[in-house]
Protein backbone atom coordinates (compact mmCIF):
# COMPACT_ATOMS: atom_id res chain seq x y z
CA UNK A 1 0.00 0.00 0.00
CA UNK A 2 2.84 2.36 0.77
CA UNK A 3 4.95 1.69 -2.32
CA UNK A 4 2.47 0.07 -4.73
CA UNK A 5 2.00 3.00 -7.10
CA UNK A 6 5.73 3.82 -7.13
CA UNK A 7 6.62 0.15 -7.68
CA UNK A 8 4.30 -0.01 -10.70
CA UNK A 9 5.57 3.25 -12.17
CA UNK A 10 9.29 2.51 -11.64
CA UNK A 11 8.99 -1.15 -12.69
CA UNK A 12 7.32 -0.28 -15.98
CA UNK A 13 9.64 2.69 -16.56
CA UNK A 14 12.76 0.55 -16.14
CA UNK A 15 11.40 -2.24 -18.34
CA UNK A 16 10.64 0.23 -21.12
CA UNK A 17 14.14 1.69 -20.78
CA UNK A 18 15.38 -1.68 -22.00
CA UNK A 19 16.04 -3.39 -18.67
CA UNK A 20 14.47 -6.87 -18.75
CA UNK A 21 12.11 -6.65 -15.77
CA UNK A 22 8.72 -8.39 -15.45
CA UNK A 23 6.59 -5.36 -16.31
CA UNK A 24 3.58 -7.47 -17.15
CA UNK A 25 3.64 -9.09 -13.72
CA UNK A 26 3.97 -5.73 -11.96
CA UNK A 27 1.00 -4.40 -13.92
CA UNK A 28 -1.08 -7.52 -13.27
CA UNK A 29 -0.41 -7.36 -9.54
CA UNK A 30 -1.43 -3.67 -9.55
CA UNK A 31 -4.66 -4.46 -11.40
CA UNK A 32 -5.37 -7.40 -9.12
CA UNK A 33 -4.90 -5.23 -6.02
CA UNK A 34 -7.16 -2.58 -7.58
CA UNK A 35 -9.80 -5.26 -8.15
CA UNK A 36 -9.60 -6.08 -4.43
CA UNK A 37 -9.98 -2.37 -3.54
CA UNK A 38 -6.44 -2.23 -2.14
CA UNK A 39 -5.25 0.22 -4.83
CA UNK A 40 -7.11 2.74 -6.97
CA UNK A 41 -7.81 1.40 -10.49
CA UNK A 42 -7.24 4.75 -12.25
CA UNK A 43 -3.98 5.42 -10.42
CA UNK A 44 -2.70 1.96 -11.40
CA UNK A 45 -3.62 2.52 -15.08
CA UNK A 46 -2.10 6.01 -14.96
CA UNK A 47 1.11 4.77 -13.34
CA UNK A 48 1.54 1.93 -15.81
CA UNK A 49 0.81 4.13 -18.85
CA UNK A 50 3.02 6.99 -17.62
CA UNK A 51 5.91 4.67 -16.74
CA UNK A 52 5.63 2.96 -20.13
CA UNK A 53 5.48 6.26 -22.04
CA UNK A 54 8.41 7.89 -20.19
CA UNK A 55 10.50 4.71 -20.33
CA UNK A 56 9.74 4.30 -24.03
CA UNK A 57 10.74 7.91 -24.72
CA UNK A 58 14.05 7.47 -22.88
CA UNK A 59 14.62 4.20 -24.72
CA UNK A 60 14.00 5.98 -28.02
CA UNK A 61 16.66 8.61 -27.24
CA UNK A 62 19.12 5.97 -26.07
CA UNK A 63 18.66 4.24 -29.42
CA UNK A 64 18.80 7.50 -31.37
CA UNK A 65 21.98 8.80 -29.72
CA UNK A 66 24.13 5.72 -29.17
CA UNK A 67 22.18 2.74 -30.43
CA UNK A 68 23.62 2.49 -33.94
CA UNK A 69 27.24 2.17 -32.82
CA UNK A 70 26.24 -0.37 -30.17
CA UNK A 71 24.23 -2.34 -32.75
CA UNK A 72 27.16 -2.34 -35.18
CA UNK A 73 29.55 -3.62 -32.48
CA UNK A 74 27.08 -6.39 -31.65
CA UNK A 75 26.69 -7.22 -35.35
CA UNK A 76 30.47 -7.37 -35.70
CA UNK A 77 30.71 -9.81 -32.80
CA UNK A 78 28.00 -11.96 -34.39
CA UNK A 79 29.69 -11.65 -37.83
CA UNK A 80 26.69 -9.91 -39.40
CA UNK A 81 27.60 -7.57 -42.25
CA UNK A 82 26.72 -3.88 -42.19
CA UNK A 83 24.69 -4.37 -45.38
CA UNK A 84 22.55 -6.99 -43.62
CA UNK A 85 22.10 -4.71 -40.57
CA UNK A 86 21.08 -1.83 -42.86
CA UNK A 87 18.52 -4.12 -44.51
CA UNK A 88 17.08 -5.06 -41.13
CA UNK A 89 17.02 -1.38 -40.14
CA UNK A 90 15.08 -0.53 -43.33
CA UNK A 91 12.58 -3.35 -42.71
CA UNK A 92 12.07 -2.15 -39.13
CA UNK A 93 11.62 1.44 -40.36
CA UNK A 94 8.78 0.32 -42.63
CA UNK A 95 6.95 -1.18 -39.63
CA UNK A 96 8.23 1.05 -36.82
CA UNK A 97 4.84 2.55 -35.92
CA UNK A 98 3.24 -0.90 -35.61
CA UNK A 99 6.23 -2.19 -33.63
CA UNK A 100 6.06 0.70 -31.15
CA UNK A 101 2.29 0.37 -30.65
CA UNK A 102 1.83 -3.42 -30.72
CA UNK A 103 5.26 -4.10 -29.23
CA UNK A 104 3.82 -3.22 -25.83
CA UNK A 105 1.89 -6.49 -25.89
CA UNK A 106 4.97 -8.70 -26.51
CA UNK A 107 7.44 -9.24 -23.68
CA UNK A 108 10.77 -8.83 -25.51
CA UNK A 109 9.50 -6.39 -28.10
CA UNK A 110 8.26 -4.13 -25.28
CA UNK A 111 11.87 -3.85 -24.11
CA UNK A 112 13.48 -3.30 -27.53
CA UNK A 113 10.87 -1.50 -29.69
CA UNK A 114 11.62 2.03 -28.48
CA UNK A 115 15.43 1.83 -28.76
CA UNK A 116 15.04 0.22 -32.19
CA UNK A 117 12.71 3.05 -33.24
CA UNK A 118 15.46 5.49 -32.21
CA UNK A 119 18.11 3.52 -34.12
CA UNK A 120 15.82 3.47 -37.18
CA UNK A 121 15.49 7.28 -36.83
CA UNK A 122 11.71 7.19 -36.68
CA UNK A 123 10.51 10.82 -36.55
CA UNK A 124 10.10 11.76 -32.88
CA UNK A 125 6.56 13.20 -33.24
CA UNK A 126 5.37 10.00 -34.92
CA UNK A 127 7.14 7.91 -32.29
CA UNK A 128 5.50 9.86 -29.45
CA UNK A 129 2.03 9.42 -30.93
CA UNK A 130 2.38 5.63 -31.17
CA UNK A 131 4.30 5.48 -27.89
CA UNK A 132 1.52 7.26 -25.98
CA UNK A 133 -1.28 5.35 -27.70
CA UNK A 134 0.48 2.02 -27.17
CA UNK A 135 1.27 2.77 -23.53
CA UNK A 136 -2.33 3.74 -22.79
CA UNK A 137 -3.81 0.74 -24.64
CA UNK A 138 -1.40 -1.73 -23.02
CA UNK A 139 -1.83 -0.33 -19.50
CA UNK A 140 -5.61 -0.20 -19.83
CA UNK A 141 -5.81 -3.75 -21.18
CA UNK A 142 -3.45 -5.34 -18.65
CA UNK A 143 -4.80 -3.56 -15.59
CA UNK A 144 -8.43 -4.20 -16.65
CA UNK A 145 -7.68 -7.87 -17.32
CA UNK A 146 -6.24 -8.29 -13.83
CA UNK A 147 -8.95 -6.11 -12.26
CA UNK A 148 -11.82 -8.23 -13.60
CA UNK A 149 -10.20 -11.66 -13.92
CA UNK A 150 -8.78 -11.29 -10.42
CA UNK A 151 -12.30 -11.55 -9.07
CA UNK A 152 -12.60 -15.05 -10.61
CA UNK A 153 -9.11 -16.61 -10.47
CA UNK A 154 -6.14 -16.36 -8.14
CA UNK A 155 -3.28 -13.94 -8.87
CA UNK A 156 -0.88 -16.85 -9.36
CA UNK A 157 -3.14 -18.46 -11.98
CA UNK A 158 -3.64 -15.14 -13.77
CA UNK A 159 0.12 -14.44 -13.94
CA UNK A 160 0.72 -18.00 -15.18
CA UNK A 161 -1.89 -17.70 -17.95
CA UNK A 162 -0.64 -14.30 -19.09
CA UNK A 163 2.95 -15.62 -19.06
CA UNK A 164 1.97 -18.61 -21.19
CA UNK A 165 0.06 -16.37 -23.59
CA UNK A 166 3.06 -14.00 -23.82
CA UNK A 167 5.39 -16.88 -24.71
CA UNK A 168 2.95 -18.17 -27.34
CA UNK A 169 2.48 -14.68 -28.81
CA UNK A 170 6.27 -14.18 -28.91
CA UNK A 171 6.78 -17.51 -30.69
CA UNK A 172 4.13 -16.60 -33.26
CA UNK A 173 5.74 -13.19 -33.78
CA UNK A 174 9.18 -14.76 -34.24
CA UNK A 175 7.71 -17.24 -36.74
CA UNK A 176 5.98 -14.44 -38.67
CA UNK A 177 9.31 -12.60 -38.96
CA UNK A 178 11.72 -15.54 -39.29
CA UNK A 179 9.88 -17.69 -41.86
CA UNK A 180 9.71 -14.99 -44.59
CA UNK A 181 13.39 -14.12 -43.96
CA UNK A 182 14.33 -17.79 -44.22
CA UNK A 183 12.31 -18.23 -47.43
CA UNK A 184 13.89 -15.09 -48.89
CA UNK A 185 17.41 -16.34 -48.08
CA UNK A 186 16.61 -19.71 -49.72
CA UNK A 187 15.44 -17.94 -52.88
CA UNK A 188 18.68 -15.93 -52.97
CA UNK A 189 20.71 -19.13 -52.56
CA UNK A 190 18.74 -20.85 -55.34
CA UNK A 191 19.36 -17.89 -57.68
CA UNK A 192 23.09 -17.99 -56.88
CA UNK A 193 23.31 -21.71 -57.58
CA UNK A 194 21.48 -21.33 -60.90
CA UNK A 195 23.97 -18.69 -62.01
Amino acid sequence: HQYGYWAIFVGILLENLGIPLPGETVTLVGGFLAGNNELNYWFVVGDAATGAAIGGTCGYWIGRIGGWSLLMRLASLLRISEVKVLGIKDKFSENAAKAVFFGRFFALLRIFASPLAGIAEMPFAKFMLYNLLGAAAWAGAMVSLAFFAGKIVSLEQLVQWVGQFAILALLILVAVIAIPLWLESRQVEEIKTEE
Side-chain angles (χ1 to χ4, degrees):
H1 297 283
Q2 191 173 357
Y3 302 109
Y5 299 116
W6 282 107
I8 293 164
F9 173 77
V10 171
I12 302 303
L13 175 91
L14 292 175
E15 182 193 40
N16 282 270
L17 275 171
I19 299 170
L21 292 173
E24 238 162 42
T25 305
V26 171
T27 307
L28 289 173
V29 169
F32 185 84
L33 292 174
N36 289 323
N37 297 318
E38 295 181 50
L39 294 176
N40 180 288
Y41 171 83
W42 294 108
F43 287 168
V44 173
V45 171
D47 275 356
T50 304
I54 292 172
T57 303
C58 294
Y60 171 88
W61 286 111
I62 289 168
R64 187 80 182 243
I65 293 167
W68 181 251
S69 60
L70 180 64
L71 185 63
M72 288 311 300
R73 278 189 290 225
L74 181 63
S76 174
L77 286 172
L78 299 173
R79 296 184 183 359
I80 301 171
S81 70
E82 185 173 349
V83 173
K84 193 98 162 165
V85 175
L86 285 168
I88 293 168
K89 178 183 173 187
D90 290 342
K91 284 194 184 238
F92 182 85
S93 294
E94 292 169 13
N95 298 299
K98 291 177 200 166
V100 170
F101 182 85
F102 292 111
R104 299 267 180 219
F105 295 90
F106 297 93
L108 287 176
L109 197 51
R110 186 168 49 249
I111 296 169
F112 297 116
S114 295
L116 288 173
I119 290 170
E121 298 178 357
M122 181 181 187
F124 183 67
K126 185 176 181 182
F127 168 80
M128 277 306 291
L129 173 66
Y130 287 95
N131 181 40
L132 293 172
L133 291 173
W138 175 78
M142 296 307 291
V143 172
S144 296
L145 172 70
F147 183 87
F148 293 111
K151 297 179 184 297
I152 302 167
V153 298
S154 69
L155 179 60
E156 295 81 13
Q157 185 66 58
L158 181 64
V159 169
Q160 182 182 8
W161 285 346
V162 170
Q164 290 169 345
F165 175 77
I167 291 169
L168 177 65
L170 185 61
L171 291 174
I172 291 169
L173 179 67
V174 167
V176 166
I177 293 169
I179 291 172
L181 290 174
W182 178 71
L183 292 173
E184 185 179 314
S185 69
R186 282 191 50 157
Q187 288 176 340
V188 169
E189 287 176 24
E190 288 175 8
I191 291 169
K192 285 181 183 177
T193 56
E194 288 174 5
E195 293 174 353

